[in-house]
C-alpha cells in the first residue's frame, strides 16, 4: 500500500472528496450525454454541459450527489425514450463501465494502489465516501468474496434503470483500481432489497 493511500484511507479531507465527486460526476454525465447524442435526433450538448456545471459548482457533498443523481436520471430517461429500454441499458452499461475503468486506472496511479485486495478496498472506500456509500467486503468459507453495501445515498434518488446503468461504472472503477479484480452487482437497494451485493473475483 502506497503512503498516500495509507494516509487518505485513515482521513480524507472534504475538499478532496468534493474533487473526486466532481470528476466522477463529470465523466459519467459526459458519457451518458455522448451516447444520447448518438441516438437522439435532437442534440443535447448544452444540456449535458449544464448538468456538469450544476454538480461541479454547487453545494456540499450531499447537494452535489443529489444534483448528479437527478442529471443521471434525466439522461437515462432520455436514452430509454430514444433507444428503448433494453438497448439503453445494454449500451449505457458498456459506456459507464469504460468511464469507470478510466477513472479507476487514474486513481490507481494517484493513490498508489497495489495489487492486494485490501489496497483496492481501501481505495474504493475513499471513492465511495465521496458518493455517500458505506460497504463491507466479506469472504465465506468457500472463499467467495462479496461486497455488501449497507447504505447508499444515491439509492434515495436513483430510479431502477439509472442504478442498473450507473452500477457498471462502479464495476469499471474496481477493475481500474486492480486489473486482476472483477466485480459484478447481483442485488441492488433500488430493487427493494435491504442492501446491494456484488461478487468479487480475483483473476
Amino acid at each position: 500500500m502506497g503512503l498516500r493511500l495509507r494516509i487518505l484511507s485513515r482521513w480524507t479531507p472534504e475538499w478532496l472528496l468534493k474533487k473526486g465527486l466532481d470528476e466522477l460526476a463529470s465523466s459519467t454525465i459526459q458519457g451518458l450525454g455522448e451516447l444520447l447524442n448518438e441516438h437522439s435526433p435532437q442534440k443535447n450538448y448544452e444540456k449535458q454541459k449544464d448538468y456538469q456545471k450544476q454538480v461541479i459548482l454547487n453545494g456540499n457533498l450531499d447537494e452535489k450527489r443529489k444534483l448528479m443523481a437527478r442529471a443521471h436520471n434525466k439522461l437515462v430517461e432520455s436514452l430509454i425514450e430514444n433507444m428503448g429500454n433494453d438497448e439503453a441499458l445494454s449500451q449505457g452499461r458498456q459506456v459507464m463501465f469504460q468511464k469507470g475503468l478510466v477513472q479507476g486506472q487514474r486513481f490507481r496511479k494517484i493513490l498508489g494502489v497495489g495489487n492486494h485486495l485490501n489496497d483496492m478496498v481501501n481505495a474504493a472506500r475513499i471513492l465511495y465516501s465521496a458518493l455517500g456509500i458505506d460497504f463491507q467486503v466479506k469472504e465465506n468459507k468457500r472463499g467467495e468474496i462479496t461486497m455488501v453495501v449497507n447504505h447508499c445515498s444515491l439509492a434515495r434518488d436513483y430510479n431502477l434503470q439509472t442504478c442498473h446503468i450507473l452500477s457498471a461504472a462502479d464495476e469499471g472503477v474496481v477493475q481500474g483500481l486492480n486489473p486482476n479484480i472483477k466485480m459484478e452487482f447481483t442485488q441492488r437497494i433500488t430493487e427493494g432489497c435491504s442492501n446491494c451485493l456484488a461478487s468479487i473475483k480475483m483473476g
Side-chain angles (χ1 to χ4, degrees), residues 82 100 121 135 193:
N82 284 276
V121 171
F135 71 91
C193 303

PDB file of all heavy atoms in Angstrom, residues 82 100 121 135 193:
ATOM      1  N   ASN A  82     -35.275   7.273 -26.443  1.00  0.00           N
ATOM      2  CA  ASN A  82     -34.739   7.290 -27.802  1.00  0.00           C
ATOM      3  C   ASN A  82     -34.253   5.926 -28.291  1.00  0.00           C
ATOM      4  O   ASN A  82     -34.228   5.680 -29.497  1.00  0.00           O
ATOM      5  CB  ASN A  82     -33.580   8.285 -27.896  1.00  0.00           C
ATOM      6  CG  ASN A  82     -34.037   9.730 -27.935  1.00  0.00           C
ATOM      7  OD1 ASN A  82     -34.378  10.259 -28.980  1.00  0.00           O
ATOM      8  ND2 ASN A  82     -34.075  10.379 -26.767  1.00  0.00           N
ATOM      9  N   GLY A 100     -15.844   4.272 -15.916  1.00  0.00           N
ATOM     10  CA  GLY A 100     -15.374   3.860 -14.597  1.00  0.00           C
ATOM     11  C   GLY A 100     -13.980   3.273 -14.640  1.00  0.00           C
ATOM     12  O   GLY A 100     -13.151   3.540 -13.774  1.00  0.00           O
ATOM     13  N   VAL A 121      -9.807  -2.294  -1.796  1.00  0.00           N
ATOM     14  CA  VAL A 121     -10.896  -1.999  -0.866  1.00  0.00           C
ATOM     15  C   VAL A 121     -10.709  -0.626  -0.231  1.00  0.00           C
ATOM     16  O   VAL A 121     -11.655   0.173  -0.147  1.00  0.00           O
ATOM     17  CB  VAL A 121     -10.995  -3.090   0.222  1.00  0.00           C
ATOM     18  CG1 VAL A 121     -11.976  -2.676   1.315  1.00  0.00           C
ATOM     19  CG2 VAL A 121     -11.423  -4.414  -0.401  1.00  0.00           C
ATOM     20  N   PHE A 135     -19.785   0.350   2.719  1.00  0.00           N
ATOM     21  CA  PHE A 135     -19.784  -1.066   2.339  1.00  0.00           C
ATOM     22  C   PHE A 135     -18.804  -1.865   3.180  1.00  0.00           C
ATOM     23  O   PHE A 135     -17.914  -1.324   3.831  1.00  0.00           O
ATOM     24  CB  PHE A 135     -19.433  -1.224   0.854  1.00  0.00           C
ATOM     25  CG  PHE A 135     -17.985  -0.930   0.520  1.00  0.00           C
ATOM     26  CD1 PHE A 135     -17.040  -1.944   0.540  1.00  0.00           C
ATOM     27  CD2 PHE A 135     -17.573   0.353   0.198  1.00  0.00           C
ATOM     28  CE1 PHE A 135     -15.703  -1.682   0.247  1.00  0.00           C
ATOM     29  CE2 PHE A 135     -16.251   0.630  -0.104  1.00  0.00           C
ATOM     30  CZ  PHE A 135     -15.310  -0.397  -0.077  1.00  0.00           C
ATOM     31  N   CYS A 193     -34.333  -4.286  -2.198  1.00  0.00           N
ATOM     32  CA  CYS A 193     -33.528  -5.100  -1.282  1.00  0.00           C
ATOM     33  C   CYS A 193     -32.983  -4.229  -0.148  1.00  0.00           C
ATOM     34  O   CYS A 193     -32.887  -3.002  -0.264  1.00  0.00           O
ATOM     35  CB  CYS A 193     -32.374  -5.761  -2.021  1.00  0.00           C
ATOM     36  SG  CYS A 193     -32.912  -6.803  -3.409  1.00  0.00           S
TER      37      CYS A 193
END
